[in-house]
Amino acid sequence: MAAPDNIVTIRNLSKIYLQGEINVTALDNISLDIAAGEFLALLGPSGSGISTVLHIIAGIDRPTSGECHVQGIDVARLNESQLADWRNQNVGFVFQTFNLIPVLTAFENVELPLLLTRLTRRARRRQVETALELVGLADRAKHLPKQLSGGQEQRVAIARALVTDPALVVADEPTGNLDSHSAQEVLGVLRALSQDAGKTVIMVTHDPKAAAFGSRQIHLEKGELTK
Amino acid sequence: MTLPTFILKNAVRNKRRATLSVLSVAVSLFLLVMLQVALRELTNPIDDEGSSLRIIVRSKVSLAQPLPARQLQTLERIPGVAAVSPFSFFGGLYKGDEKFTSFAQFAIDPQRAQPLIADAKVPPEQLEAWKADRTSCIVGKLTADRYGMKIGDRLQFTGQFYPCDLDLRVAGIYHGTADDRNVMFHQKYLDELLGNPGVVGTWWVRAASIAEAPQVTDRINQAFANTSAEVRAESERAFVLGFVSMWANIKTLISGISIVVVFALILVTVSTMSMAIRERFRELAILKAIGFRRRDLFVLILAESFGLAMLGALVGAGGAWVLFHNININQLTNGLFLVFEVTPQMMGLAFAVAASLGLLAAALPMINVARTSVVQGLKTLD
Ligand SMILES: Nc1ncnc2c1ncn2[C@@H]1O[C@H](COP(=O)(O)OP(=O)(O)O)[C@@H](O)[C@H]1O
Ligand SMILES: [Mg+2]
C-alpha cells in the first residue's frame, strides 16, 4: 500500500484508446509515487501520454487497467457525481488555454468553484481575495479576462485552482501559451504553491526549461516512464 | 456572485442574440395570440339562454326567398311555440355611412317579438313609444354611440334588396343583448312601403323551453313539408353558425398558420440555443472539471433557455393582452369585429408553448453536455 506521506500512488496504470480498428496505447503499465508537497514536472514530447496521466490523477479520465490512489482513495471507483464533488474539494485545475469565463470578472472567475460549497458570501469573498493575493493580482479583481495579459489570465486561473484550498494542483502545459517572461512568473507562483503553501503540484510540460522549476522531473515517452 | 447571477450573465453574454431570441419568441407568440383571438371572434356565436330558445325559420329554398305571411297562424298553433314574430332583414345603407353600414336593420312585430327581445333593455316609456309609432325604431347602444344617434333623430336607409327606402324615427335605445348594434323596426311599416305583398323575410320563434327547442324545430319543419313554401327551422345558434360556416376555411387557415408559426418558432429557438451552448462547450467542460455535476450544468442550460423563452412570452403574449385590453377593436375595424378578447386560455396556450420551447431548446444541448466527458470537452476548440 501507499507510504503515508505519498499523496498519489500509481500502480501498473494503462490507458488504451480504440481508434477505429487500432489500439492506441497512451499509457503502458506505469507505476509512480508522488510525495505530498512536491512540485512534480511530468516531461515528455507531444503524444507521450503525459496529459493522460494527469487526467487520470485528477479524476477527469479513467484508466483501462491499473490503479491510481489519491490520498488513499481509488479515484476510478467513484461514480460521476462523487467524482465531481471529489474534484471540487481536492483538485485545482490549470490548463494551457486559460479557460476563464469571458463574461465574469477575475474575482467572479475565482469564486466559481466556491459556488458549489456551503460557504457564506463573506467567507467566499475572503477566500477569493486570499487566492488573488497569492498570485499577485489583488488589484485586478474587477477586471474582465479580456482586460488582462496572458500571464495575468493564467495567474487568475491558478487562483481559481487554489481557492477551494485543494491538496492537489494539476497544471497541463500552463506556460504553453505564454511568452518567457510571463512563463517565469507563472512557474514561480506554482513553485511557491508547493514550497510555501505545502500544495502538491503536478505539472505537465514539453519544455525542459519549465520542467526545471519542478522539485522533481519524470520523463515519459510513448506511454512509458524513461527514468 | 451567486448561481442566478451567473445564469443571467451567461444568458445576456451575447446581447444581440439574446435580444433576437426574446423578440422572435415574443413576435411569434403575439401573432399566435392574435390569431387565436381572431379565430374566437369569427367562430364563437352568441351562446346564452335566449339564443338557445330562439329559432329562425327561413325558406328551404334560400335565405333570400321570402315566406308567406299566412304561415303565422300555423306556427302559433305548433306545440312548444311560445312566441312568433316576422323577422325580415332589411340590409339597407345608412344615410351617413353609405360606404359601410356596420349594423343590420330588422323588421319585426314589436308586440309579438316582445319575448324574443326580452334581453334588450329599453326604458319602458321608450318601448311604448316604439310600439305606438309604426315608423319608429329602437337602436342598439353601440350603433347609437357610434353615430351619435339620439331619441327623436330620423334615420334614413336606402334599400338594397328591397325596392324601398326607410325613414325611421329613433324611439328608443337598447342595450344588454349579445350584439347591441341592430336597428329594430315595424314589419307593418315595411309591408306598407312594399304595398302589402303578404310576405316576410324569416320567422323568429321562441320555444317554450330549451329542452323542447329541438322538437319544436322538427315540428316546424314537418308542418310546412310538402307545402308551396317549405321551411328550414334551426336554432339561432345553428343559424349564426351557418353564416359562420363560410368562415370555416378561414378557421382552417388560421389554425394552419398558428401551427406553422409555432413550428418555425421551435426551429429558430432550438437552433439559436444549441448555438449558444455549443460555443461554450469548453467552458462547460471546465465547469465540470472544477466540480459542477451534470445536474448543475442542466440547471444552468435549462434556466437560461427557459428564462429567455418566458421573457419572450411575457413580452409577446403579455403585449397582446395589454394591447387588446386597451384598444377599441369595434372602432378600429369599423364594426367588423365587436370585441377582441384575450382569454386566460389563450394566455395559457402562449405560456405553455413558451415553456415547451424552453424545454425543447435546452434538450439538445443538455444531451450533448451529458455525453461529453471533461477531456473531450477540453479538446473542442473555442
Ligand atoms: N480520445 C482519444 N482517442 C484516441 N487516442 C487518443 C485519445 N486521447 C489521446 N489519445 C492518444 O493518446 C496518446 C497520449 O495522449 P496525451 O496524453 O493527450 O498526449 P500528450 O502527451 O501530448 O499530452 C496520444 O498518442 C494521443 O493521440
Ligand atoms: Mg497534452
Side-chain angles (χ1 to χ4, degrees):
Chain A
M1 264 315 292
D5 53 349
N6 278 344
I7 185 167
V8 179
T9 312
I10 292 173
R11 291 290 175 271
N12 308 321
L13 197 70
S14 293
K15 177 76 180 182
I16 296 160
Y17 291 105
L18 190 66
Q19 224 167 26
E21 299 282 283
I22 318 155
N23 281 338
V24 179
T25 305
L27 290 179
D28 192 2
N29 207 31
I30 283 179
S31 296
L32 173 68
D33 290 327
I34 300 171
E38 75 172 318
F39 180 9
L40 181 74
L42 272 172
L43 187 63
S46 193
S48 57
I50 41 178
S51 290
T52 307
V53 183
L54 197 74
H55 292 160
I56 292 172
I57 295 172
I60 55 174
D61 204 352
R62 293 173 188 276
T64 310
S65 66
E67 281 179 18
C68 173
H69 289 257
V70 180
Q71 291 173 311
I73 293 172
D74 187 350
V75 176
R77 293 253 171 99
L78 302 179
N79 67 31
E80 283 301 316
S81 59
Q82 287 170 330
L83 211 49
D85 290 346
W86 179 80
R87 285 195 301 264
N88 183 245
Q89 287 154 23
N90 298 289
V91 188
F93 286 89
V94 181
F95 300 97
Q96 177 177 356
T97 51
F98 323 122
N99 292 322
L100 299 177
I101 310 283
V103 288
L104 301 183
T105 62
F107 185 96
E108 291 166 333
N109 265 290
V110 175
E111 193 184 12
L112 217 42
L114 297 182
L115 293 184
L116 300 171
T117 66
R118 291 167 181 277
L119 293 177
T120 62
R121 183 182 280 262
R122 175 188 298 220
R124 290 205 304 264
R125 165 165 288 276
R126 210 168 38 233
Q127 264 176 253
V128 173
E129 279 165 358
T130 309
L132 281 171
E133 260 163 45
L134 256 166
V135 298
L137 287 176
D139 56 334
R140 298 297 160 98
K142 295 221 165 72
H143 287 56
L144 289 171
K146 63 166 183 268
Q147 296 164 329
L148 299 171
S149 72
Q152 290 170 331
E153 276 195 76
Q154 192 61 301
R155 275 145 67 201
V156 172
I158 294 174
R160 181 177 66 189
L162 284 179
V163 75
T164 54
D165 196 24
L168 202 60
V169 173
V170 299
D172 192 342
E173 295 184 51
T175 58
N177 278 12
L178 296 178
D179 62 83
S180 64
H181 176 73
S182 303
Q184 300 268 330
E185 272 179 8
V186 164
L187 290 165
V189 170
L190 289 176
R191 183 162 62 190
L193 281 186
S194 118
Q195 279 179 2
D196 307 337
K199 307 267 172 233
T200 307
V201 181
I202 307 172
M203 175 178 71
V204 151
T205 181
H206 303 306
D207 176 9
K209 271 187 274 175
F213 274 77
S215 56
R216 180 158 68 116
Q217 288 81 29
I218 298 270
H219 292 259
L220 212 69
E221 224 158 293
K222 292 181 183 155
E224 292 179 62
L225 293 175
T226 58
K227 187 204 126 201
Chain B
M1 190 179 56
T2 57
L3 271 181
T5 25
F6 182 43
I7 291 166
L8 200 68
K9 287 193 174 195
N10 271 327
V12 299
R13 69 161 60 187
N14 187 332
K15 287 192 186 62
R16 195 189 324 174
R17 184 171 53 211
T19 312
L20 285 177
S21 310
V22 169
L23 280 184
S24 74
V25 174
V27 169
S28 310
L29 289 182
F30 181 86
L31 196 60
L32 185 69
V33 169
M34 204 168 84
L35 289 169
Q36 297 302 308
V37 166
L39 194 62
R40 178 172 177 274
E41 170 76 13
L42 289 175
T43 57
N44 203 19
I46 308 118
D47 190 15
D48 55 53
E49 197 198 49
S51 82
S52 322
L53 284 173
R54 289 192 288 263
I55 295 166
I56 307 266
V57 183
R58 55 132 159 154
S59 163
K60 196 173 177 177
V61 182
S62 93
L63 192 57
Q65 183 80 23
L67 292 171
R70 62 182 142 75
Q71 287 182 331
L72 179 66
Q73 282 72 37
T74 317
L75 282 167
E76 278 179 331
R77 278 200 301 273
I78 290 173
V81 169
V84 186
S85 164
F87 189 57
S88 306
F89 173 72
F90 184 73
L93 289 181
Y94 172 56
K95 280 235 172 74
D97 193 359
E98 281 93 347
K99 281 199 309 286
F100 181 79
T101 302
S102 63
F103 57 98
Q105 312 91 47
F106 292 103
I108 62 176
D109 179 334
Q111 212 65 50
R112 293 177 184 278
Q114 189 71 70
L116 285 156
I117 54 172
D119 49 357
K121 292 176 188 59
V122 204
E125 69 279 5
Q126 292 182 11
L127 191 63
E128 287 316 310
W130 173 47
K131 284 181 184 168
D133 179 358
R134 253 187 11 269
T135 64
S136 73
C137 64
I138 52 172
V139 182
K141 189 172 185 316
L142 285 178
T143 297
D145 287 349
R146 175 167 175 175
Y147 295 99
M149 297 166 178
K150 297 181 306 295
I151 308 280
D153 284 359
R154 300 210 76 89
L155 311 182
Q156 272 97 36
F157 295 93
T158 312
Q160 294 194 99
F161 315 114
Y162 286 92
C164 64
D165 299 339
L166 303 179
D167 182 5
L168 300 169
R169 187 182 65 85
V170 178
I173 291 167
Y174 72 86
H175 66 97
T177 70
D179 181 3
D180 290 339
R181 283 187 299 187
N182 302 327
V183 166
M184 302 285 186
F185 66 103
H186 290 239
Q187 176 75 36
K188 270 213 186 90
Y189 175 55
L190 183 61
D191 288 345
E192 271 171 28
L193 290 173
L194 296 171
N196 291 311
V199 293
V200 301
T202 60
W203 295 107
W204 212 12
V205 174
R206 185 181 159 100
S209 72
I210 294 179
E212 227 178 331
Q215 286 99 297
V216 173
T217 309
D218 289 345
R219 285 180 204 138
I220 294 172
N221 284 330
Q222 279 155 20
F224 298 102
N226 302 315
T227 68
S228 58
E230 290 192 290
V231 301
R232 165 130 58 116
E234 52 198 357
S235 71
E236 191 179 87
R237 193 182 153 80
F239 181 74
V240 175
L241 273 175
F243 264 128
V244 162
S245 71
M246 68 176 176
W247 292 112
N249 291 334
I250 292 183
K251 185 173 177 171
T252 317
L253 185 68
I254 290 182
S255 308
I257 296 173
S258 302
I259 291 168
V260 171
V261 166
V262 171
F263 192 70
L265 185 58
I266 289 172
L267 289 185
V268 170
T269 317
V270 168
S271 74
T272 32
M273 195 61 205
S274 308
M275 208 160 22
I277 297 299
R278 198 171 318 126
E279 62 184 34
R280 256 184 269 156
F281 238 63
R282 243 183 114 78
E283 282 175 35
L284 290 167
I286 300 294
L287 291 180
K288 248 189 192 178
I290 65 177
F292 281 71
R293 297 172 181 204
R294 207 179 279 170
R295 205 180 50 201
D296 301 319
L297 299 183
F298 285 177
V299 170
L300 293 184
I301 295 170
L302 198 60
E304 181 173 337
S305 155
F306 208 73
L308 289 176
M310 278 301 163
L311 190 62
L314 214 62
V315 173
W321 191 82
V322 170
L323 186 69
F324 294 139
H325 270 74
N326 287 296
I327 60 168
N328 187 339
I329 199 77
N330 184 17
Q331 249 164 34
L332 213 65
T333 60
N334 248 335
L336 178 63
F337 294 114
L338 261 189
V339 277
F340 236 34
E341 197 187 348
V342 180
T343 63
Q345 288 95 316
M346 293 173 197
M347 294 298 280
L349 176 71
F351 276 90
V353 168
S356 338
L357 213 58
L359 290 179
L360 217 66
L364 215 66
M366 290 205 301
I367 292 170
N368 282 333
V369 167
R371 275 195 189 154
T372 313
S373 72
V374 176
V375 177
Q376 284 170 325
L378 288 174
K379 278 181 187 154
T380 54
L381 296 174
D382 299 292

